[in-house]
Amino acid sequence: MKDQKQEGASQSEESGTGERFTSSGFILAAIGSAVGLGNMWRFPYITGKYGGAAFFLLFFICMLLVGLPVLLAELSVGRGGRGNASSSFTRLGAHKMWSGFGVIIILGAFVILSFYAIVAGWTLHYAMLSFTGQLFENNDFAQQFSDLNGSWMPVFWQFIVLLLTGLIIIRGVSAGIEKVNKIFIPGLLVLLIVLCVRVMFLDGAGEGAAFFLKPDFSKLTAESAFVALGHAFLSLSLGMGTIITYGAYVDKRQSLSLATAAVGTGNIVYALLAGLIIFPTTFAFGLEASQGPGLVFVALPAAFSAMPLGWLFGGLFFVMIAFASLTSTISLLEVPVAFVREKFGWSRSFSVILLSILCFVIGVPSALSLGDKIPWLTFGGKSFFDWVDFVCTNIVLPLGGLVVTIFVGYVWKGGAKESGLSAWWLRVWLFMLRYVAPILVLLVFLYSSGIISF
Ligand code: PFF
């Protein structure tokens, strides 16, 4: 059995679609998948809610102890198996049950994309309103945000996001995914730095930066630890098959541990910069930092409206989030695309067109469920959008992470070789995968799905 599993790895070396990333292209694409709404929209508001710098530190620790080991595990499964997020498991010699788990993970990615594209659509809408100045015609930003969700506009913008995503990945791994990431990821960094410098000159900015950078440990609770670990997963794009799928396109000579370190560093740097824009701005204009999801769409427009050239900075800010989201939607759509191509032998173009349309269709109820246009789309105290978000982020994602962790920690013996780690690091990695990650991920799952509470 052991030999069979190891053989699985070497047999599959030449298989797969044959599409490959270049080394830098892969690292940028993986950073692109990781950096997204998670860093620019979710991370700031949960950091605001759970106590600023102390929460940031927790997030950082969770990323180091659990996130990065699982990231390396997913990359190893992808490159070792050279299949999609389902077939990679069986190509490595595993029982068919594992590819069944893979199918659930792939479905999760597809459904996550359907609502992720809606939030990405909001950012495009806000960028346009900011550049045209329309955003600042009415100072009630909370009302504007709820008006947007009460309208059909989110459906339109969701369509645009999926259209752009489809147009990019239809061109393939190197001419599409890699090329766009090579432009967007450095471009994003430049925009973030420009905005960061601008914001530092605001009166009172220092107070916001201190809130974000000076830890107050008295604010930490068990809940914040769970939220931090859950966010480490979401933020590194784990548990959804994206990293396995990208891993299959990675050259054998690429160092996976180096790539893991690069993605971890990139993810932290972009989150730090986003925080250093958002908190100083929020504090400088006396806005509430802990207000939740409205932080970016409600608080920041108020700040931009009071700032000289605010329309320009606001527009750039929202375009930047839109860029970051697109590099993540690309990675999410590639997961089911890789699956159907291999499973049914369909062409890339056909698979992309079909799946984009399908994703749009299943996203429409989420997009329409946010206002009160269609009352039956809200049930059990949550809108359809919130349900989809809840099931994917709190249930499918941790379970997806658990599947990979257990597979690499206990089942597949070839992970040690594929990861390329030295003996000492290998021991640390396997320890994390076997003992630390599964327990913590299981706890997060039980906690976030409401099965246990504190
Ligand atoms: N990592 C992305 C973000 O932080 O916005 C979200 C994400 C993308 C999660 C891809 C999962 C995924 F497979």
PDB file of all heavy atoms in Angstrom, residues 119-147:
ATOM      1  N   VAL A 119     -19.804  40.834  -3.657  1.00  0.00           N
ATOM      2  CA  VAL A 119     -19.075  41.846  -2.876  1.00  0.00           C
ATOM      3  C   VAL A 119     -18.041  42.543  -3.772  1.00  0.00           C
ATOM      4  O   VAL A 119     -17.862  43.766  -3.710  1.00  0.00           O
ATOM      5  CB  VAL A 119     -18.407  41.225  -1.629  1.00  0.00           C
ATOM      6  CG1 VAL A 119     -17.744  42.291  -0.786  1.00  0.00           C
ATOM      7  CG2 VAL A 119     -19.437  40.477  -0.798  1.00  0.00           C
ATOM      8  N   ALA A 120     -17.395  41.755  -4.640  1.00  0.00           N
ATOM      9  CA  ALA A 120     -16.442  42.362  -5.582  1.00  0.00           C
ATOM     10  C   ALA A 120     -17.192  43.370  -6.459  1.00  0.00           C
ATOM     11  O   ALA A 120     -16.671  44.446  -6.777  1.00  0.00           O
ATOM     12  CB  ALA A 120     -15.802  41.281  -6.440  1.00  0.00           C
ATOM     13  N   GLY A 121     -18.430  43.038  -6.819  1.00  0.00           N
ATOM     14  CA  GLY A 121     -19.257  43.942  -7.618  1.00  0.00           C
ATOM     15  C   GLY A 121     -19.536  45.248  -6.893  1.00  0.00           C
ATOM     16  O   GLY A 121     -19.506  46.319  -7.497  1.00  0.00           O
ATOM     17  N   TRP A 122     -19.769  45.190  -5.586  1.00  0.00           N
ATOM     18  CA  TRP A 122     -19.981  46.431  -4.825  1.00  0.00           C
ATOM     19  C   TRP A 122     -18.783  47.356  -5.009  1.00  0.00           C
ATOM     20  O   TRP A 122     -18.938  48.567  -5.130  1.00  0.00           O
ATOM     21  CB  TRP A 122     -20.104  46.159  -3.329  1.00  0.00           C
ATOM     22  CG  TRP A 122     -21.290  45.362  -2.886  1.00  0.00           C
ATOM     23  CD1 TRP A 122     -22.422  45.091  -3.605  1.00  0.00           C
ATOM     24  CD2 TRP A 122     -21.464  44.736  -1.606  1.00  0.00           C
ATOM     25  NE1 TRP A 122     -23.270  44.333  -2.852  1.00  0.00           N
ATOM     26  CE2 TRP A 122     -22.719  44.094  -1.616  1.00  0.00           C
ATOM     27  CE3 TRP A 122     -20.684  44.658  -0.459  1.00  0.00           C
ATOM     28  CZ2 TRP A 122     -23.201  43.390  -0.516  1.00  0.00           C
ATOM     29  CZ3 TRP A 122     -21.167  43.947   0.629  1.00  0.00           C
ATOM     30  CH2 TRP A 122     -22.411  43.323   0.606  1.00  0.00           C
ATOM     31  N   THR A 123     -17.581  46.775  -4.998  1.00  0.00           N
ATOM     32  CA  THR A 123     -16.393  47.639  -5.071  1.00  0.00           C
ATOM     33  C   THR A 123     -16.332  48.338  -6.436  1.00  0.00           C
ATOM     34  O   THR A 123     -15.955  49.503  -6.514  1.00  0.00           O
ATOM     35  CB  THR A 123     -15.082  46.864  -4.814  1.00  0.00           C
ATOM     36  OG1 THR A 123     -14.885  45.924  -5.869  1.00  0.00           O
ATOM     37  CG2 THR A 123     -15.090  46.137  -3.504  1.00  0.00           C
ATOM     38  N   LEU A 124     -16.734  47.627  -7.496  1.00  0.00           N
ATOM     39  CA  LEU A 124     -16.741  48.267  -8.820  1.00  0.00           C
ATOM     40  C   LEU A 124     -17.780  49.390  -8.842  1.00  0.00           C
ATOM     41  O   LEU A 124     -17.539  50.478  -9.378  1.00  0.00           O
ATOM     42  CB  LEU A 124     -17.071  47.241  -9.909  1.00  0.00           C
ATOM     43  CG  LEU A 124     -15.942  46.308 -10.326  1.00  0.00           C
ATOM     44  CD1 LEU A 124     -16.444  45.294 -11.348  1.00  0.00           C
ATOM     45  CD2 LEU A 124     -14.782  47.109 -10.930  1.00  0.00           C
ATOM     46  N   HIS A 125     -18.920  49.131  -8.246  1.00  0.00           N
ATOM     47  CA  HIS A 125     -19.986  50.130  -8.187  1.00  0.00           C
ATOM     48  C   HIS A 125     -19.491  51.381  -7.451  1.00  0.00           C
ATOM     49  O   HIS A 125     -19.652  52.511  -7.910  1.00  0.00           O
ATOM     50  CB  HIS A 125     -21.193  49.508  -7.466  1.00  0.00           C
ATOM     51  CG  HIS A 125     -22.351  50.420  -7.285  1.00  0.00           C
ATOM     52  ND1 HIS A 125     -23.253  50.680  -8.303  1.00  0.00           N
ATOM     53  CD2 HIS A 125     -22.776  51.154  -6.214  1.00  0.00           C
ATOM     54  CE1 HIS A 125     -24.177  51.514  -7.862  1.00  0.00           C
ATOM     55  NE2 HIS A 125     -23.910  51.813  -6.602  1.00  0.00           N
ATOM     56  N   TYR A 126     -18.841  51.165  -6.298  1.00  0.00           N
ATOM     57  CA  TYR A 126     -18.348  52.297  -5.516  1.00  0.00           C
ATOM     58  C   TYR A 126     -17.221  53.041  -6.243  1.00  0.00           C
ATOM     59  O   TYR A 126     -17.114  54.252  -6.124  1.00  0.00           O
ATOM     60  CB  TYR A 126     -17.906  51.824  -4.127  1.00  0.00           C
ATOM     61  CG  TYR A 126     -19.046  51.871  -3.139  1.00  0.00           C
ATOM     62  CD1 TYR A 126     -20.045  50.910  -3.175  1.00  0.00           C
ATOM     63  CD2 TYR A 126     -19.162  52.908  -2.219  1.00  0.00           C
ATOM     64  CE1 TYR A 126     -21.120  50.966  -2.297  1.00  0.00           C
ATOM     65  CE2 TYR A 126     -20.230  52.973  -1.332  1.00  0.00           C
ATOM     66  CZ  TYR A 126     -21.205  51.999  -1.374  1.00  0.00           C
ATOM     67  OH  TYR A 126     -22.275  52.071  -0.514  1.00  0.00           O
ATOM     68  N   ALA A 127     -16.388  52.297  -6.961  1.00  0.00           N
ATOM     69  CA  ALA A 127     -15.307  52.964  -7.705  1.00  0.00           C
ATOM     70  C   ALA A 127     -15.934  53.896  -8.734  1.00  0.00           C
ATOM     71  O   ALA A 127     -15.536  55.067  -8.866  1.00  0.00           O
ATOM     72  CB  ALA A 127     -14.435  51.923  -8.400  1.00  0.00           C
ATOM     73  N   MET A 128     -16.953  53.408  -9.434  1.00  0.00           N
ATOM     74  CA  MET A 128     -17.567  54.222 -10.464  1.00  0.00           C
ATOM     75  C   MET A 128     -18.242  55.457  -9.852  1.00  0.00           C
ATOM     76  O   MET A 128     -18.051  56.571 -10.311  1.00  0.00           O
ATOM     77  CB  MET A 128     -18.584  53.378 -11.227  1.00  0.00           C
ATOM     78  CG  MET A 128     -18.879  53.932 -12.577  1.00  0.00           C
ATOM     79  SD  MET A 128     -20.333  53.153 -13.227  1.00  0.00           S
ATOM     80  CE  MET A 128     -21.581  53.797 -12.127  1.00  0.00           C
ATOM     81  N   LEU A 129     -19.002  55.232  -8.770  1.00  0.00           N
ATOM     82  CA  LEU A 129     -19.689  56.363  -8.132  1.00  0.00           C
ATOM     83  C   LEU A 129     -18.704  57.392  -7.602  1.00  0.00           C
ATOM     84  O   LEU A 129     -18.983  58.586  -7.584  1.00  0.00           O
ATOM     85  CB  LEU A 129     -20.538  55.881  -6.957  1.00  0.00           C
ATOM     86  CG  LEU A 129     -21.772  55.054  -7.257  1.00  0.00           C
ATOM     87  CD1 LEU A 129     -22.604  54.873  -5.995  1.00  0.00           C
ATOM     88  CD2 LEU A 129     -22.624  55.710  -8.333  1.00  0.00           C
ATOM     89  N   SER A 130     -17.539  56.912  -7.151  1.00  0.00           N
ATOM     90  CA  SER A 130     -16.564  57.838  -6.599  1.00  0.00           C
ATOM     91  C   SER A 130     -15.933  58.670  -7.710  1.00  0.00           C
ATOM     92  O   SER A 130     -15.829  59.898  -7.609  1.00  0.00           O
ATOM     93  CB  SER A 130     -15.505  57.048  -5.835  1.00  0.00           C
ATOM     94  OG  SER A 130     -14.655  57.910  -5.155  1.00  0.00           O
ATOM     95  N   PHE A 131     -15.541  58.017  -8.790  1.00  0.00           N
ATOM     96  CA  PHE A 131     -14.924  58.750  -9.906  1.00  0.00           C
ATOM     97  C   PHE A 131     -15.898  59.758 -10.516  1.00  0.00           C
ATOM     98  O   PHE A 131     -15.504  60.838 -10.931  1.00  0.00           O
ATOM     99  CB  PHE A 131     -14.430  57.785 -10.985  1.00  0.00           C
ATOM    100  CG  PHE A 131     -13.109  57.141 -10.638  1.00  0.00           C
ATOM    101  CD1 PHE A 131     -12.928  55.768 -10.766  1.00  0.00           C
ATOM    102  CD2 PHE A 131     -12.033  57.904 -10.190  1.00  0.00           C
ATOM    103  CE1 PHE A 131     -11.717  55.171 -10.447  1.00  0.00           C
ATOM    104  CE2 PHE A 131     -10.806  57.316  -9.866  1.00  0.00           C
ATOM    105  CZ  PHE A 131     -10.657  55.945  -9.992  1.00  0.00           C
ATOM    106  N   THR A 132     -17.178  59.412 -10.579  1.00  0.00           N
ATOM    107  CA  THR A 132     -18.141  60.348 -11.181  1.00  0.00           C
ATOM    108  C   THR A 132     -18.612  61.383 -10.166  1.00  0.00           C
ATOM    109  O   THR A 132     -19.311  62.326 -10.520  1.00  0.00           O
ATOM    110  CB  THR A 132     -19.384  59.606 -11.713  1.00  0.00           C
ATOM    111  OG1 THR A 132     -19.986  58.922 -10.605  1.00  0.00           O
ATOM    112  CG2 THR A 132     -19.042  58.599 -12.799  1.00  0.00           C
ATOM    113  N   GLY A 133     -18.270  61.200  -8.885  1.00  0.00           N
ATOM    114  CA  GLY A 133     -18.659  62.163  -7.862  1.00  0.00           C
ATOM    115  C   GLY A 133     -20.062  61.908  -7.306  1.00  0.00           C
ATOM    116  O   GLY A 133     -20.477  62.517  -6.322  1.00  0.00           O
ATOM    117  N   GLN A 134     -20.795  60.983  -7.933  1.00  0.00           N
ATOM    118  CA  GLN A 134     -22.173  60.697  -7.508  1.00  0.00           C
ATOM    119  C   GLN A 134     -22.248  60.225  -6.054  1.00  0.00           C
ATOM    120  O   GLN A 134     -23.217  60.498  -5.363  1.00  0.00           O
ATOM    121  CB  GLN A 134     -22.708  59.553  -8.374  1.00  0.00           C
ATOM    122  CG  GLN A 134     -23.890  59.904  -9.224  1.00  0.00           C
ATOM    123  CD  GLN A 134     -24.186  58.701 -10.116  1.00  0.00           C
ATOM    124  OE1 GLN A 134     -23.308  58.237 -10.852  1.00  0.00           O
ATOM    125  NE2 GLN A 134     -25.403  58.193 -10.033  1.00  0.00           N
ATOM    126  N   LEU A 135     -21.197  59.554  -5.624  1.00  0.00           N
ATOM    127  CA  LEU A 135     -21.168  59.001  -4.272  1.00  0.00           C
ATOM    128  C   LEU A 135     -21.301  60.105  -3.226  1.00  0.00           C
ATOM    129  O   LEU A 135     -21.840  59.904  -2.149  1.00  0.00           O
ATOM    130  CB  LEU A 135     -19.839  58.235  -4.083  1.00  0.00           C
ATOM    131  CG  LEU A 135     -19.598  57.506  -2.784  1.00  0.00           C
ATOM    132  CD1 LEU A 135     -20.637  56.419  -2.575  1.00  0.00           C
ATOM    133  CD2 LEU A 135     -18.211  56.851  -2.777  1.00  0.00           C
ATOM    134  N   PHE A 136     -20.787  61.287  -3.569  1.00  0.00           N
ATOM    135  CA  PHE A 136     -20.718  62.349  -2.562  1.00  0.00           C
ATOM    136  C   PHE A 136     -21.888  63.328  -2.637  1.00  0.00           C
ATOM    137  O   PHE A 136     -21.923  64.334  -1.946  1.00  0.00           O
ATOM    138  CB  PHE A 136     -19.369  63.071  -2.680  1.00  0.00           C
ATOM    139  CG  PHE A 136     -18.216  62.098  -2.703  1.00  0.00           C
ATOM    140  CD1 PHE A 136     -17.440  61.928  -3.849  1.00  0.00           C
ATOM    141  CD2 PHE A 136     -17.943  61.311  -1.596  1.00  0.00           C
ATOM    142  CE1 PHE A 136     -16.412  60.998  -3.882  1.00  0.00           C
ATOM    143  CE2 PHE A 136     -16.914  60.378  -1.620  1.00  0.00           C
ATOM    144  CZ  PHE A 136     -16.148  60.227  -2.766  1.00  0.00           C
ATOM    145  N   GLU A 137     -22.858  63.043  -3.517  1.00  0.00           N
ATOM    146  CA  GLU A 137     -24.011  63.940  -3.641  1.00  0.00           C
ATOM    147  C   GLU A 137     -24.938  63.835  -2.432  1.00  0.00           C
ATOM    148  O   GLU A 137     -25.694  64.745  -2.142  1.00  0.00           O
ATOM    149  CB  GLU A 137     -24.793  63.613  -4.924  1.00  0.00           C
ATOM    150  CG  GLU A 137     -24.116  64.206  -6.148  1.00  0.00           C
ATOM    151  CD  GLU A 137     -24.645  63.635  -7.452  1.00  0.00           C
ATOM    152  OE1 GLU A 137     -25.702  62.969  -7.415  1.00  0.00           O
ATOM    153  OE2 GLU A 137     -23.997  63.857  -8.490  1.00  0.00           O
ATOM    154  N   ASN A 138     -24.877  62.691  -1.770  1.00  0.00           N
ATOM    155  CA  ASN A 138     -25.747  62.483  -0.611  1.00  0.00           C
ATOM    156  C   ASN A 138     -24.873  61.924   0.508  1.00  0.00           C
ATOM    157  O   ASN A 138     -24.187  60.935   0.312  1.00  0.00           O
ATOM    158  CB  ASN A 138     -26.840  61.501  -1.067  1.00  0.00           C
ATOM    159  CG  ASN A 138     -27.533  60.815   0.071  1.00  0.00           C
ATOM    160  OD1 ASN A 138     -27.348  61.151   1.249  1.00  0.00           O
ATOM    161  ND2 ASN A 138     -28.360  59.830  -0.268  1.00  0.00           N
ATOM    162  N   ASN A 139     -24.903  62.596   1.671  1.00  0.00           N
ATOM    163  CA  ASN A 139     -23.960  62.226   2.722  1.00  0.00           C
ATOM    164  C   ASN A 139     -24.400  61.077   3.620  1.00  0.00           C
ATOM    165  O   ASN A 139     -23.682  60.702   4.537  1.00  0.00           O
ATOM    166  CB  ASN A 139     -23.650  63.441   3.598  1.00  0.00           C
ATOM    167  CG  ASN A 139     -22.417  64.138   3.070  1.00  0.00           C
ATOM    168  OD1 ASN A 139     -21.691  63.553   2.255  1.00  0.00           O
ATOM    169  ND2 ASN A 139     -22.187  65.362   3.500  1.00  0.00           N
ATOM    170  N   ASP A 140     -25.580  60.523   3.339  1.00  0.00           N
ATOM    171  CA  ASP A 140     -26.030  59.402   4.154  1.00  0.00           C
ATOM    172  C   ASP A 140     -25.522  58.100   3.528  1.00  0.00           C
ATOM    173  O   ASP A 140     -26.197  57.456   2.736  1.00  0.00           O
ATOM    174  CB  ASP A 140     -27.565  59.401   4.247  1.00  0.00           C
ATOM    175  CG  ASP A 140     -28.048  58.387   5.262  1.00  0.00           C
ATOM    176  OD1 ASP A 140     -27.235  57.527   5.673  1.00  0.00           O
ATOM    177  OD2 ASP A 140     -29.228  58.446   5.641  1.00  0.00           O
ATOM    178  N   PHE A 141     -24.304  57.719   3.919  1.00  0.00           N
ATOM    179  CA  PHE A 141     -23.655  56.592   3.229  1.00  0.00           C
ATOM    180  C   PHE A 141     -24.260  55.240   3.612  1.00  0.00           C
ATOM    181  O   PHE A 141     -24.259  54.322   2.813  1.00  0.00           O
ATOM    182  CB  PHE A 141     -22.145  56.635   3.468  1.00  0.00           C
ATOM    183  CG  PHE A 141     -21.530  57.862   2.865  1.00  0.00           C
ATOM    184  CD1 PHE A 141     -21.151  58.935   3.660  1.00  0.00           C
ATOM    185  CD2 PHE A 141     -21.383  57.970   1.487  1.00  0.00           C
ATOM    186  CE1 PHE A 141     -20.622  60.081   3.095  1.00  0.00           C
ATOM    187  CE2 PHE A 141     -20.857  59.117   0.918  1.00  0.00           C
ATOM    188  CZ  PHE A 141     -20.477  60.179   1.721  1.00  0.00           C
ATOM    189  N   ALA A 142     -24.793  55.175   4.834  1.00  0.00           N
ATOM    190  CA  ALA A 142     -25.438  53.911   5.242  1.00  0.00           C
ATOM    191  C   ALA A 142     -26.670  53.693   4.366  1.00  0.00           C
ATOM    192  O   ALA A 142     -26.941  52.586   3.894  1.00  0.00           O
ATOM    193  CB  ALA A 142     -25.816  53.977   6.706  1.00  0.00           C
ATOM    194  N   GLN A 143     -27.400  54.790   4.127  1.00  0.00           N
ATOM    195  CA  GLN A 143     -28.596  54.697   3.292  1.00  0.00           C
ATOM    196  C   GLN A 143     -28.219  54.313   1.858  1.00  0.00           C
ATOM    197  O   GLN A 143     -28.856  53.459   1.236  1.00  0.00           O
ATOM    198  CB  GLN A 143     -29.314  56.073   3.321  1.00  0.00           C
ATOM    199  CG  GLN A 143     -30.672  56.081   2.637  1.00  0.00           C
ATOM    200  CD  GLN A 143     -31.636  55.055   3.266  1.00  0.00           C
ATOM    201  OE1 GLN A 143     -31.680  54.912   4.494  1.00  0.00           O
ATOM    202  NE2 GLN A 143     -32.361  54.307   2.449  1.00  0.00           N
ATOM    203  N   GLN A 144     -27.142  54.914   1.364  1.00  0.00           N
ATOM    204  CA  GLN A 144     -26.707  54.605  -0.014  1.00  0.00           C
ATOM    205  C   GLN A 144     -26.380  53.119  -0.150  1.00  0.00           C
ATOM    206  O   GLN A 144     -26.691  52.491  -1.151  1.00  0.00           O
ATOM    207  CB  GLN A 144     -25.452  55.400  -0.356  1.00  0.00           C
ATOM    208  CG  GLN A 144     -25.711  56.849  -0.653  1.00  0.00           C
ATOM    209  CD  GLN A 144     -24.586  57.409  -1.525  1.00  0.00           C
ATOM    210  OE1 GLN A 144     -24.215  56.835  -2.536  1.00  0.00           O
ATOM    211  NE2 GLN A 144     -24.053  58.550  -1.140  1.00  0.00           N
ATOM    212  N   PHE A 145     -25.732  52.597   0.895  1.00  0.00           N
ATOM    213  CA  PHE A 145     -25.327  51.189   0.850  1.00  0.00           C
ATOM    214  C   PHE A 145     -26.565  50.290   0.862  1.00  0.00           C
ATOM    215  O   PHE A 145     -26.668  49.336   0.095  1.00  0.00           O
ATOM    216  CB  PHE A 145     -24.428  50.883   2.060  1.00  0.00           C
ATOM    217  CG  PHE A 145     -23.788  49.529   2.021  1.00  0.00           C
ATOM    218  CD1 PHE A 145     -23.070  49.111   0.911  1.00  0.00           C
ATOM    219  CD2 PHE A 145     -23.894  48.664   3.106  1.00  0.00           C
ATOM    220  CE1 PHE A 145     -22.472  47.857   0.875  1.00  0.00           C
ATOM    221  CE2 PHE A 145     -23.299  47.411   3.078  1.00  0.00           C
ATOM    222  CZ  PHE A 145     -22.596  47.007   1.954  1.00  0.00           C
ATOM    223  N   SER A 146     -27.542  50.654   1.698  1.00  0.00           N
ATOM    224  CA  SER A 146     -28.720  49.781   1.731  1.00  0.00           C
ATOM    225  C   SER A 146     -29.575  49.985   0.478  1.00  0.00           C
ATOM    226  O   SER A 146     -30.213  49.046   0.002  1.00  0.00           O
ATOM    227  CB  SER A 146     -29.490  49.915   3.044  1.00  0.00           C
ATOM    228  OG  SER A 146     -30.294  51.040   3.021  1.00  0.00           O
ATOM    229  N   ASP A 147     -29.541  51.212  -0.093  1.00  0.00           N
ATOM    230  CA  ASP A 147     -30.257  51.413  -1.368  1.00  0.00           C
ATOM    231  C   ASP A 147     -29.664  50.533  -2.468  1.00  0.00           C
ATOM    232  O   ASP A 147     -30.373  49.959  -3.280  1.00  0.00           O
ATOM    233  CB  ASP A 147     -30.163  52.872  -1.830  1.00  0.00           C
ATOM    234  CG  ASP A 147     -31.085  53.764  -1.018  1.00  0.00           C
ATOM    235  OD1 ASP A 147     -31.914  53.225  -0.254  1.00  0.00           O
ATOM    236  OD2 ASP A 147     -30.958  55.008  -1.126  1.00  0.00           O
TER     237      ASP A 147
END
